[in-house]
Each structure stands twice: as C-alpha cells, then as structure tokens.
Amino acid sequence: MELESMYQTLGVSRPVYEYGEAVLASLRQRFDAVDRTAEYNQAKVLAAMQKNRVNATHFAATTGYGYDDEGRDNLERVYADVFHTEAALVRPQITCGTHALTVALSANLLPGDELLSPVGAPYDTLEEVIGIRESKCSLREYGVTYAQADLRPDGSFDFDAIRSKINDRTKLVTIQRSKGYATRPTLSVGQIGELIAFCKSVKPGINVMVDNCYGEFVETVEPSDLGADMVVGSLIKNPGGGLAPIGGYICGTRACVERCAYRLSAPGLGQEVGANLGLMPAFYQGLFLAPTVTAGALKGAIFAANLYEPLGFACVPGAGEDRHDIIQAVTLGSPEGMVAFCKGIQAAAPVDSYVTPEPWAMPGYDSDVIMAAGAFVQGSSIELSADGPIRPPYAVYFQGGLTWYHAKLGILMSLQKLVDAGLARL
Ligand SMILES: *Cc1c(COP(=O)(O)O)cnc(C)c1O
C-alpha cells in the first residue's frame, strides 16, 4: 500500500504501522468529539476577531516605545473576548510561560501577603519563583509567604485542608490546570470552577490565578468562564498556534491585568509601552489556528495512550480517560526507555531530524532533563516534542504536533525505537 510504504521510507516498520492502524480504528468516536470542540473554539476565535474588526492595519510593525500600537491593543481586546475577561496583556516582551506567571504573581502579591496552592506542588520552574527552592529575587525574598494543600491520593481536592490553609493573609490562590511534570491528573475546567467557588466562599475577595499552560482550547470553556481572576499561559504553547515565535498572555479582571502591566513594564507606563516588533501577523494568525492545532495535538495524545497502554506502559491520562490538556505522560520505567522514546520523536521531526537527544541539566529544573524537539520555533512545545526529568518513574511527557499526521508519525517512530532497542514488544 502506498501510505504504508511511505511510512516505511520514514522508518516505521510494517508491524509497528499495522499495530498503529488497529489502535486508530478504535478511536474514531473520540476524534469526532475532539473535532467538535475545535469547531466550537474556531467559531469563538472568529467571533472575537470579527467583533474587534481585525484588519491589515493591525499587522503593522512598531518599534521603540510602541505608543499607540493599535495592532497590539486590538490583539489584547481579541484575547479578552476569547477568554471572556475584562482585560488582557499579550506581549512578545513576556518571554515564556514562567515569566507570564511570575508577572501575574509578583504584580498581585505584596510583602506580608500569602500565596496558596490548593492543588499540591506547582510546576518545577515556579518553585524558584515562589521561593520553595531558595532563589534570588523569589517572592519569598520580597516577604511573600507560600502555603500548599496537597491533593488527596485519588487526585481529588482536600477541601478541609484548603479551608484550614486560608487565613487573613491569603491574597492569591494559584491553580495549575495541567499536571506538568507530575503524575497527578490534569484538572478539568469544571473541577477548577468548583475549586474557585470554594476558595471564594471561604474568603470572599480572594483572587484566583490559573496556570492555563497546555489547557487552552482543549475544552469549550476556559477557567476564566468559571470565576478565575487571571488565566496565564505561553504563546509557544496552544494559543500561539505554532506561529508565535515568543510571548505570553495574562487575561483577567481589569484590576489584576493593570497591575501585571505595571509590573511587566514600569509603574505609570503599564500597557502604554511595548513595541510589537512585527510579530502581530504571527500572533493573530497563530490564535486563529490555535483551536485546530490544539485538536491535532490532542489526537496525538489520545493515540499515544492507546498505543502504549496495551503494551504495558502506564499512561497518564489512561487510554480511555477524558482529556483536559494536550500532555500525555508515558511511563517507560528506565532512562534507556526515555531516551529511545525521545529519539523516535526527534527522528520524525521536520527540523533537526538527524540529531540525537541526550539528557542534560536545564535551568529551573533540579534533575537532568531529556528533550526531543525538531521545531520551527526553538523550544516550542505546541510543536511535536517530548521531555521529562530523568528520575523515577522515568516518565516521558509527550505533547504537541502542529498537524495530527505529524503527531502520528512521531508516536509511531517512538514505538519503533523502543521495539528496535528491545524495550517494547508488540
Ligand atoms: C510550560 C509550563 C509552564 C512554564 O512555561 P515555560 O514557557 O516553559 O516557562 C508553567 N506551567 C505549566 C503547567 C507548564 O506546562
């Protein structure tokens, strides 16, 4: 068959290809549901762009201070309408997701305030931001304390513990939607809404920030639809649609976003400055593509779980589970398994397909990390990528794929490398 021989040319053997096709045959209904969500979200993005009369003048580059940057200001109105918030800050000057989260936290916490995570430990890089791991310029150095309520062993919220951790200094609650590098389940937007309502019932007036990384457009609602005061994320993940080469966003209440703008630039300047450097076409077009790009990545994640779980590799989420982000954790059980998996993802890439990924120390992470990514935008994890810290249980976190077909090839190649290394048997 023509397609099968093309896969063979790319390095996927007939047994791996046929196993993949058998798995896929069982996933048609799941994929239909993903497509329906994408269709809704495409309409949501289009409605926001039409309402704000997006036109060619919005794509003009600005330099220097960036005063009266209409393209930038209008993009922020579009984002605010997509996330149903009063305001938004969407900037190339926000360098990554961690930076966006740092801006949101440090702008809305003052000395003496306490930050609460009711969902256990935050993402690795936030440990230094908060000061859980000692770090220069952490929130802790500025006199902001941190409290944490862990999830119950089954992944549910521990409401009694959360209530007991909320005190008169608790100012901001941070909720991480995606599991990140943990093996806990990702939270649905519905669960996040329930948690927000609970925190606000214990302490009215408390602000809630959601780390929305990897969750955007996976469902038809976002945490900002269910009471979050800020949703925060990276443009080299879902909402950049693979086209944004840098950037982050913070959507939320006018009061919170205004403070974020003052923190990002300077008190008094806020959102008025910040040239767009010619990135507006990529930001607008990337947002336009984001719902379908996210859907492709989601299909890849579902396919990976259904491919690997029957072979005895534990997957989070499990093969049959609902999805609330685009990350698929596959527990390979050994450093060699992680390396083989990542080699396959790398070999399937459009860029840098000939390089071999190796574990390495990374800033912000406390163990060696292996990363596979052959991306057009360096480090972009909405593009097909796999990474994970080299520590038990030796799980690889797999995500992205600008097209479903590329995600499919990458996953088949990862399995091929495991089979070739004798680490998996069909
Ligand atoms: C990726 C990610 C971050 C940090 O984003 P960077 O762009 O890597 O700094 C924070 N939280 C979660 C849940 C993430 O997935």
Side-chain angles (χ1 to χ4, degrees):
M1 210 242 289
E2 211 181 353
L3 188 56
E4 190 181 321
S5 67
M6 181 54 81
Y7 274 105
Q8 275 176 26
T9 308
L10 289 164
V12 179
S13 68
R14 178 195 274 248
V16 167
Y17 175 78
E18 283 176 353
Y19 173 59
E21 290 307 293
V23 168
L24 262 184
S26 68
L27 295 176
R28 293 297 161 200
Q29 275 190 334
R30 303 267 316 266
F31 281 22
D32 283 349
V34 170
D35 286 334
R36 277 194 298 279
T37 300
E39 188 173 357
Y40 180 88
N41 286 328
Q42 183 72 80
K44 182 160 73 173
V45 168
L46 274 168
M49 291 190 168
Q50 291 173 4
K51 178 186 163 201
N52 290 289
R53 304 172 67 92
V54 173
N55 64 70
T57 65
H58 296 127
F59 305 147
T62 60
T63 56
Y65 292 104
Y67 293 137
D68 302 315
D69 186 331
E70 190 46 38
R72 174 198 70 201
D73 292 348
N74 200 47
L75 180 72
E76 291 178 339
R77 288 190 285 270
V78 169
Y79 261 77
D81 284 334
V82 166
F83 287 91
H84 304 130
T85 56
E86 291 171 0
L89 186 66
V90 187
R91 300 289 168 121
Q93 287 80 13
I94 300 177
T95 55
C96 61
T98 303
H99 187 197
L101 291 158
T102 301
V103 168
L105 292 171
S106 55
N108 288 284
L109 288 160
L110 292 173
D113 289 341
E114 188 158 279
L115 170 68
L116 169 67
S117 171
V119 294
Y123 192 74
D124 281 45
T125 58
L126 286 187
E127 292 187 354
E128 285 179 291
V129 173
I130 295 167
I132 300 169
R133 269 189 288 143
E134 203 175 300
S135 181
K136 289 180 186 122
C137 296
S138 68
L139 288 170
R140 190 174 163 184
E141 259 198 1
Y142 286 93
V144 174
T145 57
Y146 171 71
Q148 180 175 310
D150 289 331
L151 294 171
R152 289 219 196 80
D154 67 355
S156 64
F157 304 129
D158 189 341
F159 288 113
D160 291 337
I162 295 166
R163 187 186 291 105
S164 76
K165 299 274 176 170
I166 296 178
N167 58 48
D168 52 352
R169 292 193 304 111
T170 312
K171 177 74 173 298
L172 187 67
V173 173
T174 179
I175 300 172
Q176 185 178 309
R177 178 171 173 181
S178 168
K179 64 183 150 314
Y181 283 154
T183 37
R184 66 138 163 113
T186 286
L187 305 173
S188 70
V189 175
Q191 285 175 294
I192 291 172
E194 194 191 342
L195 182 55
I196 293 171
F198 177 79
C199 293
K200 292 195 174 200
S201 76
V202 175
K203 187 170 183 181
I206 208 168
N207 282 328
V208 178
M209 179 194 85
V210 174
D211 175 350
N212 212 23
C213 283
Y214 288 131
E216 300 93 348
F217 302 121
V218 171
E219 300 185 39
T220 54
V221 288
E222 299 289 340
S224 43
D225 291 312
L226 296 180
D229 298 282
M230 288 183 281
V231 288
V232 181
S234 163
L235 298 194
I236 63 169
K237 293 180 180 172
N238 308 15
L243 295 187
I246 192 170
Y249 77 90
I250 300 167
C251 297
T253 63
R254 189 163 304 287
C256 285
V257 171
E258 199 172 45
R259 292 193 66 91
C260 293
Y262 289 135
R263 181 79 296 149
L264 178 66
S265 60
L269 301 184
Q271 279 179 277
E272 304 291 324
V273 297
N276 74 50
L277 305 172
L279 294 173
M280 284 301 120
F283 282 15
Y284 279 100
Q285 199 174 350
L287 178 64
F288 171 72
L289 293 177
T292 48
V293 169
T294 302
L298 213 46
K299 288 177 184 174
I302 293 168
F303 181 52
N306 284 274
L307 194 82
Y308 276 100
E309 201 174 80
L311 301 178
F313 298 98
C315 291
V316 180
E321 273 181 78
D322 281 346
R323 314 247 137 197
H324 307 295
D325 67 12
I326 63 167
I327 302 183
Q328 181 61 52
V330 181
T331 302
L332 295 156
S334 69
E336 297 74 33
M338 292 180 75
V339 172
F341 186 103
C342 289
K343 276 185 180 167
I345 298 296
Q346 190 73 39
V351 180
D352 293 335
S353 61
Y354 53 87
V355 307
T356 305
E358 303 271 5
W360 208 257
M362 290 276 301
Y365 298 90
D366 68 356
S367 49
D368 279 2
V369 175
I370 183 158
M371 295 198 169
F376 295 100
V377 172
Q378 288 169 42
S380 166
S381 48
I382 187 60
E383 296 188 51
L384 189 69
S385 50
D387 47 69
I390 305 282
R391 66 186 182 212
Y394 301 106
V396 154
Y397 298 79
F398 159 88
Q399 67 270 313
L402 295 186
T403 70
W404 146 239
Y405 303 110
H406 180 222
K408 177 182 174 183
L409 173 66
I411 295 154
L412 291 174
M413 283 297 287
S414 71
L415 180 57
Q416 186 69 55
K417 296 287 181 192
L418 281 154
V419 169
D420 290 349
L423 297 165
R425 205 171 305 152
L426 300 180

